[in-house]
Amino acid sequence: MTHQQSPTEAVAAVVIMAAGAGTRMKSATPKVLHKLAGQTMISLAVDTADALSPQHLVVVVGHEREQVTAHLAEIAPHATIAVQEQALGTGDAVRSGLSVLGEVSGEVVVTSGDNPLLAGETLVELVSRHRNERNAVTVLTARVPDPTGYGRVVRDHDQVVRIVEQADASADELQIAEINSGVYAFDAEALRTGIAALGTANAAGELYLTDVIAHARSAGGRVGAHLLEDWVQAEGVNDRVQLARLNAELNRRILNRWMLDGVTVIDPATTWVHAGVDLAPDVTLLPGTSLEGATSVASGATIGPDTTLIDVEVGENATVTRTHAELAVIAAAATVGPFSYLRPGTELGERGKIGAFVETKKAVIGAGTKVPHLTYCGDAELGEGVNIGAGTIFANYDGVAKYTTTVGDHSFVGSDSVLVAPVQIGDGAYVAAGSTITGPVGPGELAVARGQQRNIAGWVFRKRAGTKTEAAAKAAIEAAEQGRQAGEDNQQ
Ligand code: UD1
Ligand code: CA
């Protein structure tokens, strides 16, 4: 292995193995499409590989490959897809990967699609050790608390002699705590000849990539190990217990980073922040908060408790309490919640309010406008300084199509009104409480659209004689009469 490269020279290729069946996940979804912190395992693996800026990025797919390939076309159009027809083992997976590359020289780095916490910097360190030690193969290893199921690293001082799988290991070898992470840097030539020499004489009857090590040594090459202090990076996901554990660990790492950047997290154990979220210093996250997708929160805002925001933009000093919101914009100093449901297309202006038991959808709500209680506000445009009374319904749907309602600046809609769309309420207009509005209301007008009040005197005495209601009415009338007479006596 005599070729010399500067540390900045790109590796020839990274090959990500992702063709296994993932049987232990017991899922209709391919293993590498399961998500941690909102990202699929395969997209995390691609991001990690990209840290090396390899000349070629190859993903080996097989099981459920249509789904995996379609996803890769979206998230990693720069990747070359290699198909492994049958899952004959990790050695065969890499052979499939190399077959799409043609002749390459330099290093080939191999990783797994099910190794979600592996960091890009770790790959950079692995390659730099590989180059410094002039190794034929460098294995990324770790000492994990429970090595069960992993390949064990058999060493001779600082060199690796071989890797033995759990099923093939002797009792002594099972005592070895250092495991193979399944991540390697190979000299391309050593990898090619080693794979060509693989056999299936092992417990699984598979072509083990790890057997390339013995071949490289017998050809006179050096095999080194890069031991990871941060052993969690070496952990693989084979079942949903490991998925949950690594997801929690990834979340913990994301939260630690935000806390060190000035975000207050009251309860990290119940706060979930996806990898694509952006938070400013002096944001406060209360317990039970989940921030997902491309959500961003500006400085001074408080989110939670018990709030889920998916692709939501929150402005400075806003508060969002016990709320579920998706594809919404909440401007600076606005308040939302408790118990609010913001559906896609909601835009709340500065200092605006969406209050308790309010549902909004495609609603553009102006600065300082308040929708405080018990309202459905869909397909609506509300100006500035509007007040929407408790229990107002924007009736946007006639059973066939949806229509828009507009309410002008500084207008006031009384409680329990129904605004039957399409309808326009002008600037500076009033709607009387309990109205059903079906036609336009002009600026400065008061619209009253409800039955006139009519009181029928003596009805209770005629229709409810002998009830407590009648007795109460009688007592009240007598008391009023006595009061009136006492007033007259005083004046005399
Ligand atoms: C492998 C290693 C083991 C290591 C462990 C780390 C071998 C023989 N063993 O075991 O030493 O400790 O990873 O997690 O390499 N794959 C394919 N095609 C196949 C088989 C597997 O693409 O034919 C892919 C899988 O999708 C997965 C990766 O290779 O992404 C590892 O395969 P898996 O079956 O999980 O290997 P382990 O038994 O965990
Ligand atoms: Ca595995």
Side-chain angles (χ1 to χ4, degrees):
M1 313 312 124
T2 51
H3 63 272
Q4 284 241 275
Q5 288 185 314
S6 73
T8 52
E9 197 173 326
V11 300
V14 176
V15 176
I16 302 175
M17 300 180 287
T23 322
R24 284 168 281 177
M25 295 297 282
K26 301 194 175 150
S27 177
T29 302
K31 175 161 85 174
V32 294
L33 296 189
H34 282 261
K35 290 179 178 179
L36 297 91
Q39 288 184 285
T40 60
M41 279 199 262
I42 192 67
S43 85
L44 290 164
V46 166
D47 287 352
T48 299
D50 281 345
L52 287 174
S53 305
Q55 292 169 40
H56 302 277
L57 174 63
V58 179
V59 183
V60 184
V61 300
H63 181 76
E64 303 272 16
R65 65 173 176 264
E66 297 78 14
Q67 283 186 63
V68 179
T69 306
H71 177 63
L72 282 166
E74 265 177 47
I75 58 125
H78 59 300
T80 305
I81 306 292
V83 175
Q84 184 192 19
E85 291 294 344
Q86 270 182 293
L88 303 175
T90 48
D92 184 62
V94 173
R95 191 194 51 71
S96 306
L98 293 180
S99 71
V100 300
L101 280 177
E103 283 295 297
V104 291
S105 60
E107 300 99 353
V108 174
V109 170
V110 174
T111 69
S112 284
D114 63 353
N115 196 204
L117 264 61
L118 181 68
E121 305 89 77
T122 301
L123 287 187
V124 172
E125 288 164 18
L126 175 73
V127 169
S128 116
R129 177 184 293 270
H130 180 78
R131 289 174 178 175
N132 290 341
E133 294 181 355
R134 301 205 189 329
N135 290 335
V137 185
T138 310
V139 185
L140 185 68
T141 69
R143 290 182 205 281
V144 295
D146 179 11
T148 310
Y150 289 98
R152 309 298 208 284
V153 178
V154 181
R155 278 186 182 245
D156 177 7
H157 299 91
D158 65 339
Q159 291 206 47
V160 177
V161 177
R162 65 192 186 105
I163 288 167
V164 58
E165 295 304 303
Q166 171 92 20
D168 301 296
S170 68
D172 279 352
E173 286 166 337
L174 288 176
Q175 299 306 308
I176 298 172
E178 186 179 13
I179 60 108
N180 168 27
S181 69
V183 175
Y184 324 77
F186 290 98
D187 171 73
E189 182 60 27
L191 180 60
R192 208 171 9 246
T193 56
I195 282 181
L198 291 180
T200 55
N202 54 55
E206 290 186 351
L207 295 162
Y208 287 172
L209 178 61
T210 44
D211 288 347
V212 169
I213 288 166
H215 187 270
R217 280 175 63 88
S218 66
R222 188 180 189 285
V223 177
H226 184 64
L227 180 66
L228 257 176
E229 286 297 321
D230 181 20
W231 54 267
V232 177
Q233 287 189 43
E235 286 208 295
V237 171
N238 295 313
D239 59 38
R240 299 204 206 205
V241 176
Q242 291 167 323
L243 178 69
R245 203 179 57 232
L246 289 187
N247 188 31
E249 178 59 24
L250 180 55
N251 187 60
R252 203 181 64 79
R253 290 175 182 215
I254 290 170
L255 290 178
N256 281 354
R257 203 186 75 221
W258 287 122
M259 288 188 274
L260 293 174
D261 280 352
V263 172
T264 296
V265 180
I266 301 296
D267 182 17
T270 63
T271 304
W272 299 85
V273 174
H274 280 182
V277 168
D278 190 36
L279 304 174
D282 287 322
V283 162
T284 300
L285 304 181
L286 301 179
T289 292
S290 185
L291 304 181
E292 305 181 9
T295 292
S296 67
V297 184
S299 173
T302 300
I303 314 293
D306 300 331
T307 292
T308 298
L309 305 183
I310 305 160
D311 299 322
V312 173
E313 187 184 325
V314 180
E316 284 184 10
N317 301 315
T319 61
V320 184
T321 308
R322 293 190 200 277
T323 288
H324 186 97
E326 183 163 1
L327 282 166
V329 179
I330 297 163
T335 65
V336 177
F339 311 111
S340 306
Y341 179 26
L342 279 57
R343 290 165 53 199
T346 298
E347 291 178 30
L348 178 60
E350 285 190 20
R351 293 168 285 98
K353 178 182 175 78
I354 294 175
F357 306 105
V358 172
E359 173 179 343
T360 60
K361 185 215 74 170
K362 274 195 198 158
V364 180
I365 299 171
T369 288
K370 294 182 165 51
V371 189
H373 337 270
L374 299 157
T375 286
Y376 173 62
C377 179
D379 298 301
E381 286 168 28
L382 278 54
E384 296 184 1
V386 173
N387 190 87
I388 302 293
T392 298
I393 303 297
F394 289 65
N396 60 329
Y397 184 49
D398 64 1
V400 179
K402 306 266 168 79
Y403 303 94
T404 300
T405 298
T406 60
V407 181
D409 293 345
H410 300 285
S411 288
F412 182 100
V413 176
S415 293
D416 197 31
S417 294
V418 181
L419 310 178
V420 182
V423 72
Q424 295 84 39
I425 294 164
D427 292 348
Y430 265 70
V431 170
S435 292
T436 296
I437 299 297
T438 53
V441 182
E445 291 180 343
L446 165 68
V448 187
R450 64 183 184 216
Q452 188 80 41
Q453 182 170 328
R454 182 162 77 96
N455 296 356
I456 301 168
W459 186 92
V460 168
F461 300 109
R462 290 195 302 280
K463 301 288 192 185
R464 294 291 182 270
T467 64
K468 286 184 178 174
T469 308
E470 188 205 26
K474 206 176 259 172
I477 289 166
E478 279 169 13
E481 178 62 18
Q482 279 166 13
R484 199 181 53 78
Q485 277 185 359
E488 279 175 11
D489 293 350
N490 279 346
Q491 283 184 3
Q492 281 166 3

